[in-house]
């Protein structure tokens, strides 16, 4: 298994409140920048896209 190549969220401001994502075979890996060696969530690209869409829709309603 090769090492993950992490990319910082384009919406990240300075500080430790960001997420990093990486391609992991047929999955997407997500971790938080404050503890990149900690927990890694792996999900499908479609599930991550649905989560992002839902968050954006909820933000637009507020």
């Amino acid at each position: 298994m090769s090492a993950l190549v992490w990319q910082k969220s384009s919406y990240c401001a300075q500080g430790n409140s960001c997420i990093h994502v990486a391609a992991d075979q047929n999955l997407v890996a997500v971790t938080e920048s404050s503890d990149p060696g900690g927990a890694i969530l792996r999900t499908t690209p479609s599930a991550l896209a649905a989560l992002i869409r839902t968050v954006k829709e909820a933000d637009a309603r507020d």
Side-chain angles (χ1 to χ4, degrees), residues 2 6 10-11 13-15 20 24 26-27 36 41 49 51 57 59-60:
S2 61
W6 294 101
S10 61
Y11 289 95
Q14 292 182 356
H20 291 167
D24 187 10
N26 294 328
L27 299 174
L41 170 70
L51 172 65
E57 290 170 359
D59 188 46

Side-chain angles (χ1 to χ4, degrees), residues 34-61:
S34 63
D35 187 14
I40 297 173
L41 170 70
R42 287 179 173 82
T43 188
T44 63
S46 60
L48 181 59
L51 172 65
I52 292 169
R53 203 170 31 253
T54 300
V55 170
K56 285 181 176 182
E57 290 170 359
D59 188 46
R61 288 190 300 260

